[in-house]
């Protein structure tokens, strides 16, 4: 079986968080899903990457500063007609209602669980190619 190839943008102002995201997802989150990562550490870098590249999934740190992933998600959903799905990493389960307001497709909690994260990422990417 040949794996579908996807590009995932990881956003956090913290390099350690981006590394944890990358490790949790891995290069092959499922047998049929292969991932290449692009990283952004600022709000502007996220938007420039979206404008210049084909991105299949955004994984955004809801706790990033000064621009949090929640605000970026909302802007992307409002400004990009065919926006990629968003997986938002949040610190509190209670913030899931805010994520739904921003039209985020999925959330995961800090600390990032690799099994849960890989499964969610694979599902979101498979839906993207349909």
């Amino acid at each position: 079986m040949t794996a579908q190839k996807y590009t995932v943008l990881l956003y956090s102002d913290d390099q350690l968080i981006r590394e944890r995201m990358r490790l949790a997802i891995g290069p092959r989150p499922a047998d049929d899903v292969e991932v290449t990562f692009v990283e952004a550490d600022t709000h502007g870098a996220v938007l420039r990457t979206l404008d210049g590249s084909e991105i299949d999934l955004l994984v955004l740190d809801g706790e990033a500063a000064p621009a949090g992933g929640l605000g970026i998600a909302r802007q992307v959903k409002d400004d990009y007609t065919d926006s990629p799905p968003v997986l938002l990493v949040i610190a509190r389960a209670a913030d899931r209602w805010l994520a739904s307001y921003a039209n985020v497709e999925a959330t995961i909690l800090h600390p990032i669980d690799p099994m849960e994260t890989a499964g969610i990422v694979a599902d979101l990417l498979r839906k993207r190619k349909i």
Side-chain angles (χ1 to χ4, degrees):
M1 170 189 248
T2 303
Q4 283 283 109
K5 296 181 181 190
Y6 302 92
T7 302
V8 174
L9 187 147
L10 306 175
Y11 165 71
S12 179
D13 64 318
D14 184 332
Q15 172 60 37
L16 182 59
I17 299 296
R18 291 193 309 273
E19 181 67 18
R20 288 180 182 156
M21 291 172 173
R22 184 178 28 264
L23 291 173
I25 297 166
R28 200 88 183 241
D31 289 340
D32 61 329
V33 176
E34 187 175 325
V35 171
T36 300
F37 296 102
V38 176
E39 293 189 24
D41 61 357
T42 66
H43 178 211
V46 170
L47 300 181
R48 282 190 301 279
T49 302
L50 283 173
D51 289 340
S53 305
E54 179 65 34
I55 301 297
D56 298 301
L57 175 68
L58 298 175
V59 181
L60 307 176
D61 179 7
E63 306 304 310
L70 185 65
I72 292 173
R74 180 63 190 224
Q75 180 180 1
V76 167
K77 295 299 183 176
D78 287 347
D79 293 351
Y80 291 81
T81 305
D82 187 27
S83 66
V86 174
L87 173 58
L88 185 67
V89 183
I90 56 177
R92 296 163 300 280
D95 289 341
R96 286 195 167 112
W97 75 270
L98 290 169
S100 68
Y101 170 74
N103 296 317
V104 168
E105 283 78 7
T107 59
I108 56 173
L109 291 170
H110 282 289
I112 301 168
D113 177 292
M115 295 299 289
E116 175 190 25
T117 304
I120 291 170
V121 165
D123 288 344
L124 290 171
L125 290 170
R126 286 183 196 113
K127 291 175 187 172
R128 177 76 172 161
K129 290 293 182 182
I130 293 175

